[in-house]
Amino acid sequence: MAVSFARDILPLFRAIDIAHMKGPGVLLDSYAYMSDPANAQPVLDSLTGAPPHMPPGGPYWSQSQIELFEKWMSDGYQP
Ligand code: HEM
């Protein structure tokens, strides 16, 4: 089954992540924003840097959460 933004990806973001990132203009809860590869890739990069820099101070995403996000992208950004 293809990875879905609403079912699989949105629940990975905490309310505090969504709220804090609205200020800098990173709309984590918006499918329209996140389904643009020019936005999804920097979000992925923020989660997977060495060390990751989002969310600041952690807890950082697990490998399985990262892989789910990557599969959502490679599945073609399904809603
Ligand atoms: C393109 C991707 C992102 C950019 C450019 C970005 C940028 C920023 C900036 C500039 C801040 C405020 C300054 C700071 O505390 O460092 C911030 C804070 C924050 N970001 Fe992000 N962020 C991104 C993605 C994310 C993601 C994916 C998450 C969560 C999964 C996240 C969670 C947070 C949280 C929780 C804060 C507030 C931290 C605090 O005030 O204690 N951000 N982000």
Side-chain angles (χ1 to χ4, degrees), residues 54-73:
M54 287 292 147
Y60 302 122
W61 280 22
S62 67
Q63 191 58 34
S64 63
Q65 290 174 309
I66 299 287
E67 284 169 8
L68 195 60
F69 193 93
E70 289 172 336
K71 184 166 189 299
W72 176 63
M73 294 174 70

mmCIF file with all atom_site columns, all heavy atoms in Angstrom, residues 54-73:
data_model
loop_
_atom_site.group_PDB
_atom_site.id
_atom_site.type_symbol
_atom_site.label_atom_id
_atom_site.label_alt_id
_atom_site.label_comp_id
_atom_site.label_asym_id
_atom_site.label_entity_id
_atom_site.label_seq_id
_atom_site.pdbx_PDB_ins_code
_atom_site.Cartn_x
_atom_site.Cartn_y
_atom_site.Cartn_z
_atom_site.occupancy
_atom_site.B_iso_or_equiv
_atom_site.pdbx_formal_charge
_atom_site.auth_seq_id
_atom_site.auth_comp_id
_atom_site.auth_asym_id
_atom_site.auth_atom_id
_atom_site.pdbx_PDB_model_num
ATOM 1   N N   . MET A 1 54 ? 16.396 19.099 13.533 1.00 0.00 ? 54 MET A N   1
ATOM 2   C CA  . MET A 1 54 ? 14.988 19.257 13.904 1.00 0.00 ? 54 MET A CA  1
ATOM 3   C C   . MET A 1 54 ? 14.451 17.945 14.459 1.00 0.00 ? 54 MET A C   1
ATOM 4   O O   . MET A 1 54 ? 14.783 16.885 13.937 1.00 0.00 ? 54 MET A O   1
ATOM 5   C CB  . MET A 1 54 ? 14.146 19.685 12.702 1.00 0.00 ? 54 MET A CB  1
ATOM 6   C CG  . MET A 1 54 ? 14.364 21.132 12.272 1.00 0.00 ? 54 MET A CG  1
ATOM 7   S SD  . MET A 1 54 ? 13.758 22.286 13.501 1.00 0.00 ? 54 MET A SD  1
ATOM 8   C CE  . MET A 1 54 ? 14.951 23.623 13.298 1.00 0.00 ? 54 MET A CE  1
ATOM 9   N N   . PRO A 1 55 ? 13.543 17.985 15.463 1.00 0.00 ? 55 PRO A N   1
ATOM 10  C CA  . PRO A 1 55 ? 13.248 19.166 16.272 1.00 0.00 ? 55 PRO A CA  1
ATOM 11  C C   . PRO A 1 55 ? 14.451 19.541 17.131 1.00 0.00 ? 55 PRO A C   1
ATOM 12  O O   . PRO A 1 55 ? 15.216 18.652 17.529 1.00 0.00 ? 55 PRO A O   1
ATOM 13  C CB  . PRO A 1 55 ? 12.062 18.712 17.133 1.00 0.00 ? 55 PRO A CB  1
ATOM 14  C CG  . PRO A 1 55 ? 12.128 17.220 17.153 1.00 0.00 ? 55 PRO A CG  1
ATOM 15  C CD  . PRO A 1 55 ? 12.764 16.803 15.874 1.00 0.00 ? 55 PRO A CD  1
ATOM 16  N N   . PRO A 1 56 ? 14.651 20.842 17.403 1.00 0.00 ? 56 PRO A N   1
ATOM 17  C CA  . PRO A 1 56 ? 15.845 21.284 18.125 1.00 0.00 ? 56 PRO A CA  1
ATOM 18  C C   . PRO A 1 56 ? 15.986 20.539 19.454 1.00 0.00 ? 56 PRO A C   1
ATOM 19  O O   . PRO A 1 56 ? 15.069 20.521 20.262 1.00 0.00 ? 56 PRO A O   1
ATOM 20  C CB  . PRO A 1 56 ? 15.600 22.783 18.350 1.00 0.00 ? 56 PRO A CB  1
ATOM 21  C CG  . PRO A 1 56 ? 14.679 23.170 17.234 1.00 0.00 ? 56 PRO A CG  1
ATOM 22  C CD  . PRO A 1 56 ? 13.776 21.978 17.044 1.00 0.00 ? 56 PRO A CD  1
ATOM 23  N N   . GLY A 1 57 ? 17.115 19.883 19.658 1.00 0.00 ? 57 GLY A N   1
ATOM 24  C CA  . GLY A 1 57 ? 17.378 19.144 20.886 1.00 0.00 ? 57 GLY A CA  1
ATOM 25  C C   . GLY A 1 57 ? 16.746 17.765 20.925 1.00 0.00 ? 57 GLY A C   1
ATOM 26  O O   . GLY A 1 57 ? 16.917 17.039 21.896 1.00 0.00 ? 57 GLY A O   1
ATOM 27  N N   . GLY A 1 58 ? 15.984 17.401 19.880 1.00 0.00 ? 58 GLY A N   1
ATOM 28  C CA  . GLY A 1 58 ? 15.352 16.083 19.819 1.00 0.00 ? 58 GLY A CA  1
ATOM 29  C C   . GLY A 1 58 ? 14.024 16.067 20.557 1.00 0.00 ? 58 GLY A C   1
ATOM 30  O O   . GLY A 1 58 ? 13.559 17.123 20.985 1.00 0.00 ? 58 GLY A O   1
ATOM 31  N N   . PRO A 1 59 ? 13.358 14.920 20.712 1.00 0.00 ? 59 PRO A N   1
ATOM 32  C CA  . PRO A 1 59 ? 13.806 13.603 20.254 1.00 0.00 ? 59 PRO A CA  1
ATOM 33  C C   . PRO A 1 59 ? 13.774 13.501 18.729 1.00 0.00 ? 59 PRO A C   1
ATOM 34  O O   . PRO A 1 59 ? 12.808 13.928 18.114 1.00 0.00 ? 59 PRO A O   1
ATOM 35  C CB  . PRO A 1 59 ? 12.783 12.643 20.882 1.00 0.00 ? 59 PRO A CB  1
ATOM 36  C CG  . PRO A 1 59 ? 11.546 13.472 21.058 1.00 0.00 ? 59 PRO A CG  1
ATOM 37  C CD  . PRO A 1 59 ? 12.014 14.870 21.327 1.00 0.00 ? 59 PRO A CD  1
ATOM 38  N N   . TYR A 1 60 ? 14.867 12.974 18.172 1.00 0.00 ? 60 TYR A N   1
ATOM 39  C CA  . TYR A 1 60 ? 14.964 12.854 16.718 1.00 0.00 ? 60 TYR A CA  1
ATOM 40  C C   . TYR A 1 60 ? 14.179 11.649 16.232 1.00 0.00 ? 60 TYR A C   1
ATOM 41  O O   . TYR A 1 60 ? 13.931 10.716 16.981 1.00 0.00 ? 60 TYR A O   1
ATOM 42  C CB  . TYR A 1 60 ? 16.435 12.769 16.301 1.00 0.00 ? 60 TYR A CB  1
ATOM 43  C CG  . TYR A 1 60 ? 17.210 13.969 16.780 1.00 0.00 ? 60 TYR A CG  1
ATOM 44  C CD1 . TYR A 1 60 ? 18.320 13.831 17.607 1.00 0.00 ? 60 TYR A CD1 1
ATOM 45  C CD2 . TYR A 1 60 ? 16.789 15.251 16.446 1.00 0.00 ? 60 TYR A CD2 1
ATOM 46  C CE1 . TYR A 1 60 ? 19.001 14.949 18.068 1.00 0.00 ? 60 TYR A CE1 1
ATOM 47  C CE2 . TYR A 1 60 ? 17.458 16.371 16.910 1.00 0.00 ? 60 TYR A CE2 1
ATOM 48  C CZ  . TYR A 1 60 ? 18.567 16.214 17.726 1.00 0.00 ? 60 TYR A CZ  1
ATOM 49  O OH  . TYR A 1 60 ? 19.225 17.311 18.197 1.00 0.00 ? 60 TYR A OH  1
ATOM 50  N N   . TRP A 1 61 ? 13.798 11.702 14.973 1.00 0.00 ? 61 TRP A N   1
ATOM 51  C CA  . TRP A 1 61 ? 13.004 10.615 14.392 1.00 0.00 ? 61 TRP A CA  1
ATOM 52  C C   . TRP A 1 61 ? 13.814 9.328  14.327 1.00 0.00 ? 61 TRP A C   1
ATOM 53  O O   . TRP A 1 61 ? 15.027 9.360  14.071 1.00 0.00 ? 61 TRP A O   1
ATOM 54  C CB  . TRP A 1 61 ? 12.549 11.010 12.989 1.00 0.00 ? 61 TRP A CB  1
ATOM 55  C CG  . TRP A 1 61 ? 11.342 11.923 12.973 1.00 0.00 ? 61 TRP A CG  1
ATOM 56  C CD1 . TRP A 1 61 ? 10.903 12.726 13.986 1.00 0.00 ? 61 TRP A CD1 1
ATOM 57  C CD2 . TRP A 1 61 ? 10.440 12.120 11.887 1.00 0.00 ? 61 TRP A CD2 1
ATOM 58  N NE1 . TRP A 1 61 ? 9.773  13.411 13.584 1.00 0.00 ? 61 TRP A NE1 1
ATOM 59  C CE2 . TRP A 1 61 ? 9.477  13.059 12.308 1.00 0.00 ? 61 TRP A CE2 1
ATOM 60  C CE3 . TRP A 1 61 ? 10.363 11.612 10.602 1.00 0.00 ? 61 TRP A CE3 1
ATOM 61  C CZ2 . TRP A 1 61 ? 8.434  13.490 11.484 1.00 0.00 ? 61 TRP A CZ2 1
ATOM 62  C CZ3 . TRP A 1 61 ? 9.317  12.042 9.775  1.00 0.00 ? 61 TRP A CZ3 1
ATOM 63  C CH2 . TRP A 1 61 ? 8.370  12.964 10.224 1.00 0.00 ? 61 TRP A CH2 1
ATOM 64  N N   . SER A 1 62 ? 13.116 8.214  14.483 1.00 0.00 ? 62 SER A N   1
ATOM 65  C CA  . SER A 1 62 ? 13.741 6.897  14.372 1.00 0.00 ? 62 SER A CA  1
ATOM 66  C C   . SER A 1 62 ? 14.003 6.583  12.899 1.00 0.00 ? 62 SER A C   1
ATOM 67  O O   . SER A 1 62 ? 13.410 7.209  11.994 1.00 0.00 ? 62 SER A O   1
ATOM 68  C CB  . SER A 1 62 ? 12.823 5.834  14.958 1.00 0.00 ? 62 SER A CB  1
ATOM 69  O OG  . SER A 1 62 ? 11.655 5.718  14.161 1.00 0.00 ? 62 SER A OG  1
ATOM 70  N N   . GLN A 1 63 ? 14.847 5.586  12.681 1.00 0.00 ? 63 GLN A N   1
ATOM 71  C CA  . GLN A 1 63 ? 15.133 5.166  11.305 1.00 0.00 ? 63 GLN A CA  1
ATOM 72  C C   . GLN A 1 63 ? 13.852 4.749  10.580 1.00 0.00 ? 63 GLN A C   1
ATOM 73  O O   . GLN A 1 63 ? 13.662 5.054  9.409  1.00 0.00 ? 63 GLN A O   1
ATOM 74  C CB  . GLN A 1 63 ? 16.149 4.014  11.315 1.00 0.00 ? 63 GLN A CB  1
ATOM 75  C CG  . GLN A 1 63 ? 16.709 3.689  9.949  1.00 0.00 ? 63 GLN A CG  1
ATOM 76  C CD  . GLN A 1 63 ? 17.396 4.882  9.280  1.00 0.00 ? 63 GLN A CD  1
ATOM 77  O OE1 . GLN A 1 63 ? 18.008 5.701  9.951  1.00 0.00 ? 63 GLN A OE1 1
ATOM 78  N NE2 . GLN A 1 63 ? 17.261 4.983  7.957  1.00 0.00 ? 63 GLN A NE2 1
ATOM 79  N N   . SER A 1 64 ? 12.940 4.078  11.296 1.00 0.00 ? 64 SER A N   1
ATOM 80  C CA  . SER A 1 64 ? 11.716 3.615  10.614 1.00 0.00 ? 64 SER A CA  1
ATOM 81  C C   . SER A 1 64 ? 10.809 4.796  10.262 1.00 0.00 ? 64 SER A C   1
ATOM 82  O O   . SER A 1 64 ? 10.139 4.779  9.225  1.00 0.00 ? 64 SER A O   1
ATOM 83  C CB  . SER A 1 64 ? 10.988 2.566  11.449 1.00 0.00 ? 64 SER A CB  1
ATOM 84  O OG  . SER A 1 64 ? 10.562 3.100  12.662 1.00 0.00 ? 64 SER A OG  1
ATOM 85  N N   . GLN A 1 65 ? 10.797 5.830  11.092 1.00 0.00 ? 65 GLN A N   1
ATOM 86  C CA  . GLN A 1 65 ? 10.018 7.032  10.756 1.00 0.00 ? 65 GLN A CA  1
ATOM 87  C C   . GLN A 1 65 ? 10.620 7.728  9.528  1.00 0.00 ? 65 GLN A C   1
ATOM 88  O O   . GLN A 1 65 ? 9.883  8.159  8.622  1.00 0.00 ? 65 GLN A O   1
ATOM 89  C CB  . GLN A 1 65 ? 9.981  7.993  11.947 1.00 0.00 ? 65 GLN A CB  1
ATOM 90  C CG  . GLN A 1 65 ? 9.135  7.474  13.109 1.00 0.00 ? 65 GLN A CG  1
ATOM 91  C CD  . GLN A 1 65 ? 9.229  8.385  14.321 1.00 0.00 ? 65 GLN A CD  1
ATOM 92  O OE1 . GLN A 1 65 ? 10.315 8.742  14.769 1.00 0.00 ? 65 GLN A OE1 1
ATOM 93  N NE2 . GLN A 1 65 ? 8.091  8.748  14.886 1.00 0.00 ? 65 GLN A NE2 1
ATOM 94  N N   . ILE A 1 66 ? 11.938 7.832  9.495  1.00 0.00 ? 66 ILE A N   1
ATOM 95  C CA  . ILE A 1 66 ? 12.628 8.441  8.345  1.00 0.00 ? 66 ILE A CA  1
ATOM 96  C C   . ILE A 1 66 ? 12.316 7.659  7.072  1.00 0.00 ? 66 ILE A C   1
ATOM 97  O O   . ILE A 1 66 ? 12.002 8.246  6.019  1.00 0.00 ? 66 ILE A O   1
ATOM 98  C CB  . ILE A 1 66 ? 14.157 8.450  8.575  1.00 0.00 ? 66 ILE A CB  1
ATOM 99  C CG1 . ILE A 1 66 ? 14.523 9.265  9.822  1.00 0.00 ? 66 ILE A CG1 1
ATOM 100 C CG2 . ILE A 1 66 ? 14.903 8.922  7.328  1.00 0.00 ? 66 ILE A CG2 1
ATOM 101 C CD1 . ILE A 1 66 ? 14.397 10.731 9.693  1.00 0.00 ? 66 ILE A CD1 1
ATOM 102 N N   . GLU A 1 67 ? 12.383 6.334  7.186  1.00 0.00 ? 67 GLU A N   1
ATOM 103 C CA  . GLU A 1 67 ? 12.148 5.500  5.995  1.00 0.00 ? 67 GLU A CA  1
ATOM 104 C C   . GLU A 1 67 ? 10.710 5.635  5.496  1.00 0.00 ? 67 GLU A C   1
ATOM 105 O O   . GLU A 1 67 ? 10.453 5.601  4.288  1.00 0.00 ? 67 GLU A O   1
ATOM 106 C CB  . GLU A 1 67 ? 12.494 4.032  6.296  1.00 0.00 ? 67 GLU A CB  1
ATOM 107 C CG  . GLU A 1 67 ? 14.001 3.810  6.308  1.00 0.00 ? 67 GLU A CG  1
ATOM 108 C CD  . GLU A 1 67 ? 14.416 2.460  6.863  1.00 0.00 ? 67 GLU A CD  1
ATOM 109 O OE1 . GLU A 1 67 ? 13.538 1.607  7.112  1.00 0.00 ? 67 GLU A OE1 1
ATOM 110 O OE2 . GLU A 1 67 ? 15.638 2.271  7.052  1.00 0.00 ? 67 GLU A OE2 1
ATOM 111 N N   . LEU A 1 68 ? 9.771  5.804  6.438  1.00 0.00 ? 68 LEU A N   1
ATOM 112 C CA  . LEU A 1 68 ? 8.377  6.001  6.036  1.00 0.00 ? 68 LEU A CA  1
ATOM 113 C C   . LEU A 1 68 ? 8.236  7.310  5.253  1.00 0.00 ? 68 LEU A C   1
ATOM 114 O O   . LEU A 1 68 ? 7.566  7.366  4.213  1.00 0.00 ? 68 LEU A O   1
ATOM 115 C CB  . LEU A 1 68 ? 7.498  6.007  7.289  1.00 0.00 ? 68 LEU A CB  1
ATOM 116 C CG  . LEU A 1 68 ? 6.002  5.845  7.095  1.00 0.00 ? 68 LEU A CG  1
ATOM 117 C CD1 . LEU A 1 68 ? 5.670  4.519  6.424  1.00 0.00 ? 68 LEU A CD1 1
ATOM 118 C CD2 . LEU A 1 68 ? 5.288  5.947  8.446  1.00 0.00 ? 68 LEU A CD2 1
ATOM 119 N N   . PHE A 1 69 ? 8.883  8.371  5.744  1.00 0.00 ? 69 PHE A N   1
ATOM 120 C CA  . PHE A 1 69 ? 8.835  9.661  5.052  1.00 0.00 ? 69 PHE A CA  1
ATOM 121 C C   . PHE A 1 69 ? 9.462  9.541  3.661  1.00 0.00 ? 69 PHE A C   1
ATOM 122 O O   . PHE A 1 69 ? 8.908  10.036 2.668  1.00 0.00 ? 69 PHE A O   1
ATOM 123 C CB  . PHE A 1 69 ? 9.539  10.736 5.890  1.00 0.00 ? 69 PHE A CB  1
ATOM 124 C CG  . PHE A 1 69 ? 9.280  12.144 5.419  1.00 0.00 ? 69 PHE A CG  1
ATOM 125 C CD1 . PHE A 1 69 ? 8.243  12.885 5.952  1.00 0.00 ? 69 PHE A CD1 1
ATOM 126 C CD2 . PHE A 1 69 ? 10.077 12.732 4.439  1.00 0.00 ? 69 PHE A CD2 1
ATOM 127 C CE1 . PHE A 1 69 ? 7.997  14.191 5.520  1.00 0.00 ? 69 PHE A CE1 1
ATOM 128 C CE2 . PHE A 1 69 ? 9.842  14.034 4.003  1.00 0.00 ? 69 PHE A CE2 1
ATOM 129 C CZ  . PHE A 1 69 ? 8.797  14.759 4.544  1.00 0.00 ? 69 PHE A CZ  1
ATOM 130 N N   . GLU A 1 70 ? 10.601 8.841  3.581  1.00 0.00 ? 70 GLU A N   1
ATOM 131 C CA  . GLU A 1 70 ? 11.263 8.665  2.284  1.00 0.00 ? 70 GLU A CA  1
ATOM 132 C C   . GLU A 1 70 ? 10.374 7.863  1.327  1.00 0.00 ? 70 GLU A C   1
ATOM 133 O O   . GLU A 1 70 ? 10.310 8.165  0.130  1.00 0.00 ? 70 GLU A O   1
ATOM 134 C CB  . GLU A 1 70 ? 12.609 7.954  2.470  1.00 0.00 ? 70 GLU A CB  1
ATOM 135 C CG  . GLU A 1 70 ? 13.646 8.845  3.128  1.00 0.00 ? 70 GLU A CG  1
ATOM 136 C CD  . GLU A 1 70 ? 14.912 8.103  3.500  1.00 0.00 ? 70 GLU A CD  1
ATOM 137 O OE1 . GLU A 1 70 ? 14.879 6.862  3.695  1.00 0.00 ? 70 GLU A OE1 1
ATOM 138 O OE2 . GLU A 1 70 ? 15.950 8.770  3.628  1.00 0.00 ? 70 GLU A OE2 1
ATOM 139 N N   . LYS A 1 71 ? 9.676  6.852  1.861  1.00 0.00 ? 71 LYS A N   1
ATOM 140 C CA  . LYS A 1 71 ? 8.807  6.046  1.010  1.00 0.00 ? 71 LYS A CA  1
ATOM 141 C C   . LYS A 1 71 ? 7.614  6.883  0.544  1.00 0.00 ? 71 LYS A C   1
ATOM 142 O O   . LYS A 1 71 ? 7.158  6.749  -0.591 1.00 0.00 ? 71 LYS A O   1
ATOM 143 C CB  . LYS A 1 71 ? 8.344  4.783  1.738  1.00 0.00 ? 71 LYS A CB  1
ATOM 144 C CG  . LYS A 1 71 ? 7.517  3.858  0.832  1.00 0.00 ? 71 LYS A CG  1
ATOM 145 C CD  . LYS A 1 71 ? 7.351  2.477  1.430  1.00 0.00 ? 71 LYS A CD  1
ATOM 146 C CE  . LYS A 1 71 ? 6.727  1.503  0.420  1.00 0.00 ? 71 LYS A CE  1
ATOM 147 N NZ  . LYS A 1 71 ? 5.378  1.902  -0.020 1.00 0.00 ? 71 LYS A NZ  1
ATOM 148 N N   . TRP A 1 72 ? 7.121  7.757  1.437  1.00 0.00 ? 72 TRP A N   1
ATOM 149 C CA  . TRP A 1 72 ? 6.035  8.662  1.017  1.00 0.00 ? 72 TRP A CA  1
ATOM 150 C C   . TRP A 1 72 ? 6.485  9.483  -0.191 1.00 0.00 ? 72 TRP A C   1
ATOM 151 O O   . TRP A 1 72 ? 5.742  9.622  -1.181 1.00 0.00 ? 72 TRP A O   1
ATOM 152 C CB  . TRP A 1 72 ? 5.625  9.581  2.177  1.00 0.00 ? 72 TRP A CB  1
ATOM 153 C CG  . TRP A 1 72 ? 4.603  10.585 1.777  1.00 0.00 ? 72 TRP A CG  1
ATOM 154 C CD1 . TRP A 1 72 ? 3.327  10.347 1.334  1.00 0.00 ? 72 TRP A CD1 1
ATOM 155 C CD2 . TRP A 1 72 ? 4.778  12.005 1.742  1.00 0.00 ? 72 TRP A CD2 1
ATOM 156 N NE1 . TRP A 1 72 ? 2.707  11.534 1.031  1.00 0.00 ? 72 TRP A NE1 1
ATOM 157 C CE2 . TRP A 1 72 ? 3.573  12.562 1.270  1.00 0.00 ? 72 TRP A CE2 1
ATOM 158 C CE3 . TRP A 1 72 ? 5.828  12.856 2.072  1.00 0.00 ? 72 TRP A CE3 1
ATOM 159 C CZ2 . TRP A 1 72 ? 3.399  13.935 1.118  1.00 0.00 ? 72 TRP A CZ2 1
ATOM 160 C CZ3 . TRP A 1 72 ? 5.662  14.220 1.917  1.00 0.00 ? 72 TRP A CZ3 1
ATOM 161 C CH2 . TRP A 1 72 ? 4.457  14.754 1.442  1.00 0.00 ? 72 TRP A CH2 1
ATOM 162 N N   . MET A 1 73 ? 7.710  9.995  -0.152 1.00 0.00 ? 73 MET A N   1
ATOM 163 C CA  . MET A 1 73 ? 8.228  10.771 -1.281 1.00 0.00 ? 73 MET A CA  1
ATOM 164 C C   . MET A 1 73 ? 8.354  9.881  -2.524 1.00 0.00 ? 73 MET A C   1
ATOM 165 O O   . MET A 1 73 ? 7.890  10.248 -3.611 1.00 0.00 ? 73 MET A O   1
ATOM 166 C CB  . MET A 1 73 ? 9.576  11.402 -0.908 1.00 0.00 ? 73 MET A CB  1
ATOM 167 C CG  . MET A 1 73 ? 9.451  12.461 0.189  1.00 0.00 ? 73 MET A CG  1
ATOM 168 S SD  . MET A 1 73 ? 11.045 13.095 0.778  1.00 0.00 ? 73 MET A SD  1
ATOM 169 C CE  . MET A 1 73 ? 11.601 14.046 -0.634 1.00 0.00 ? 73 MET A CE  1
#
